[in-house]
Amino acid sequence: MEGFDYPILEAKAEGLPTIISDIPVHRELHGDTSLYFELSNAPRSFGYALERLAGDLVLWNYLGLQGFRLANSFSISVQQQQIQDLLNCIQS
């Protein structure tokens, strides 16, 4: 029920670690580049993830770097080519 995650990718492009809701689209797109919190227990689950991130500099740096790499894999030229490929399939 969420969009393409531009705000999350913007944070990742700055090298910031992210904590996001544990929904299928997030798992598919972000993989191991974010921490996740359960929606069914959002306040407690988010708080736990935040505490974990704040207390673990290695995790902070890992997620920051992995997220940065993920965000940078979505270049404008790659997105343009993917759209063009999709349009070519539709026209065929």
Side-chain angles (χ1 to χ4, degrees):
M1 304 295 259
E2 298 182 25
F4 180 71
D5 294 339
Y6 284 115
I8 297 167
L9 289 172
E10 288 171 0
K12 289 180 179 207
E14 295 296 322
L16 298 172
T18 54
I19 302 171
I20 57 179
S21 57
D22 192 358
I23 59 175
V25 68
H26 284 166
R27 287 282 181 180
E28 181 181 340
L29 181 60
H30 299 282
D32 67 347
T33 68
S34 290
L35 285 182
Y36 296 90
F37 68 92
E38 294 292 329
L39 291 174
S40 62
N41 190 16
R44 184 174 302 233
S45 181
F46 180 80
Y48 173 74
L50 186 59
E51 187 176 79
R52 183 174 167 214
L53 185 59
D56 188 341
L57 185 58
V58 172
L59 180 61
W60 180 285
N61 289 330
Y62 173 80
L63 292 176
L65 179 59
Q66 292 302 101
F68 180 80
R69 289 177 177 159
L70 177 68
N72 282 289
S73 73
F74 292 101
S75 71
I76 295 296
S77 60
V78 169
Q79 290 181 46
Q80 288 171 331
Q81 186 59 53
Q82 290 173 337
I83 292 168
Q84 187 60 54
D85 292 346
L86 180 60
L87 291 173
N88 290 342
C89 286
I90 292 170
Q91 294 174 354
S92 297

